Amino acid sequence: MTMNDQTLKDSLTKLKGTGVRITPQRHAILDYLIKSTAHPTADDIYKALEGKFPNMSVATVYNNLRVFREVGLVKELTYGDASSRFDFWHKDHYHIICTNCSKMVDFDYPGLDEVEQLAKHVSGFDVTHHRLEVYGLCPDCKK
Amino acid sequence: MTMNDQTLKDSLTKLKGTGVRITPQRHAILDYLIKSTAHPTADDIYKALEGKFPNMSVATVYNNLRVFREVGLVKELTYGDASSRFDFWHKDHYHIICTNCSKMVDFDYPGLDEVEQLAKHVSGFDVTHHRLEVYGLCPDCKK
DNA sequence: TTACTACATTATAATCGTTATAAAAAAGTG
DNA sequence: CACTTTTTTATAACGATTATAATGTAGTAA
């Protein structure tokens, strides 16, 4: 069993545990998200699966992405462009994004706890999480 | 002359310098953005100015926000919710955002240069800037 | 001041991502 | 297998943003 298979199995177990039914569509969307490294939009997912599910509705994709997000399996990314992108929540990491072609590369960075502490102190908020992205020109677009 | 007046004057000079004509609408939108601390949406701005410009089109607001963004006077903020928010670029700062009521508080934090360096090293990108937000529950919503 | 020209504004329609609705289908349980 | 509840589908609605074409105006130079 590959690592991705294991991740899928764990995810399905987690879903069942929260009372979410496992449909073939959900299975396929999750599988696609786990394997993807491309930060797909809802439409990307819809198109990728229309071979296997010719009758699937876009609404199904959106509904399930929302379910996955609520359960914490998937992260929704909103950048400047029109549509949201969805990442399977493999583990916390950051993105660097090309301002010309939108290519994304993942990178890790040890926690920005200090920033969260400062923000908490300044604002009086109960801090839960943060979001960070770095922007620039990718090697291809430099030319 | 107040600080805001000076900022407005400087902004108009900057616009003229790039060949952008100063119309009453542009003047008013800039003025509103400079004074605002509320991170308004395009519609907020439209509504706020309809008293002064009963015939102004939403398209004018959007067009000019794009112009201001391209010139570097205004920053566009895209969060999960439906519409973008626009900030006059007073100086770089970060936001902490309430996940319940969307209230925003500004805070400063000395540069995250180290993060940019790491991202550059990992990805080979030419880094230009980054974006960071902190999320949590504001004092009012804790109750 | 006037006249000119390029750029801006307006009004409107179109577009596109996303969500709501209601009927039909299927998952899970006993 | 039958039942109940959730899910899917198909479609329409929605809301933010952009495109279009006609009209108006800022800036400029005579």
Side-chain angles (χ1 to χ4, degrees):
Chain A
M1 176 148 59
T2 71
M3 203 170 65
N4 282 342
D5 289 342
Q6 184 61 51
T7 304
L8 178 59
K9 201 177 148 214
D10 292 346
S11 301
L12 294 176
T13 304
K14 183 169 182 180
L15 278 175
K16 281 188 135 170
T18 59
V20 174
R21 291 182 182 172
I22 310 305
T23 66
Q25 294 88 339
R26 283 186 175 151
H27 195 283
I29 294 171
L30 256 187
D31 187 48
Y32 181 81
L33 281 170
I34 288 171
K35 287 176 181 154
S36 172
T37 58
H39 315 285
T41 64
D43 197 57
D44 291 337
I45 299 169
Y46 176 64
K47 286 201 170 59
L49 299 181
E50 70 180 357
K52 201 184 284 186
F53 298 93
N55 295 319
M56 187 169 63
S57 165
V58 247
T60 299
V61 176
Y62 279 104
N63 286 339
N64 290 328
L65 288 171
R66 176 159 31 78
V67 169
F68 298 158
R69 174 165 47 78
E70 285 167 358
V71 172
L73 285 173
V74 162
K75 228 193 300 196
E76 180 172 0
L77 311 169
T78 60
Y79 303 106
D81 53 343
S83 43
S84 289
R85 291 160 181 283
F86 297 87
D87 270 17
F88 187 83
W89 201 312
H90 283 290
K91 76 176 176 195
D92 263 319
H93 62 267
Y94 302 112
H95 297 121
I96 176 164
I97 303 166
C98 180
T99 47
N100 189 246
C101 71
S102 299
K103 186 188 308 158
M104 279 189 207
V105 175
D106 298 342
F107 72 98
D108 286 320
Y109 188 79
L112 293 171
D113 294 343
E114 197 191 335
V115 180
E116 292 199 357
Q117 288 309 314
L118 179 80
K120 174 179 179 168
H121 180 253
V122 167
S123 66
F125 280 42
D126 279 350
V127 175
T128 55
H129 62 288
H130 67 267
R131 159 184 178 162
L132 167 75
E133 287 117 30
V134 177
Y135 294 87
L137 267 188
C138 75
D140 289 341
C141 291
K142 280 184 205 172
K143 303 165 190 166
Chain B
M1 176 149 56
T2 70
M3 203 170 65
N4 281 343
D5 289 342
Q6 185 60 51
T7 304
L8 178 59
K9 201 177 149 217
D10 293 347
S11 302
L12 294 175
T13 304
K14 182 169 185 180
L15 278 175
K16 281 189 136 169
T18 58
V20 174
R21 292 183 180 169
I22 310 305
T23 65
Q25 294 87 340
R26 284 186 175 152
H27 196 284
I29 294 171
L30 256 187
D31 187 47
Y32 181 80
L33 281 170
I34 289 170
K35 287 176 182 154
S36 172
T37 57
H39 315 285
T41 64
D43 197 57
D44 291 337
I45 299 168
Y46 176 66
K47 286 202 169 60
L49 299 180
E50 70 180 355
K52 201 183 283 184
F53 299 91
N55 295 320
M56 187 169 63
S57 165
V58 248
T60 298
V61 177
Y62 279 104
N63 287 339
N64 289 328
L65 288 172
R66 176 158 33 77
V67 170
F68 299 158
R69 173 163 48 77
E70 285 167 357
V71 172
L73 284 174
V74 161
K75 229 190 303 195
E76 179 173 0
L77 311 168
T78 59
Y79 302 105
D81 52 346
S83 42
S84 290
R85 290 158 184 286
F86 297 87
D87 269 17
F88 187 83
W89 201 311
H90 282 290
K91 76 176 176 195
D92 264 318
H93 61 267
Y94 302 113
H95 297 120
I96 176 164
I97 304 166
C98 180
T99 48
N100 188 246
C101 71
S102 299
K103 186 187 307 158
M104 279 189 208
V105 175
D106 298 342
F107 72 98
D108 286 320
Y109 187 79
L112 294 171
D113 295 344
E114 197 192 335
V115 180
E116 292 200 357
Q117 288 310 315
L118 179 80
K120 175 180 178 168
H121 180 255
V122 167
S123 65
F125 280 41
D126 279 350
V127 174
T128 54
H129 61 289
H130 67 266
R131 161 182 178 162
L132 167 75
E133 288 117 30
V134 177
Y135 294 87
L137 266 188
C138 76
D140 288 342
C141 291
K142 279 185 207 173
K143 302 162 191 167

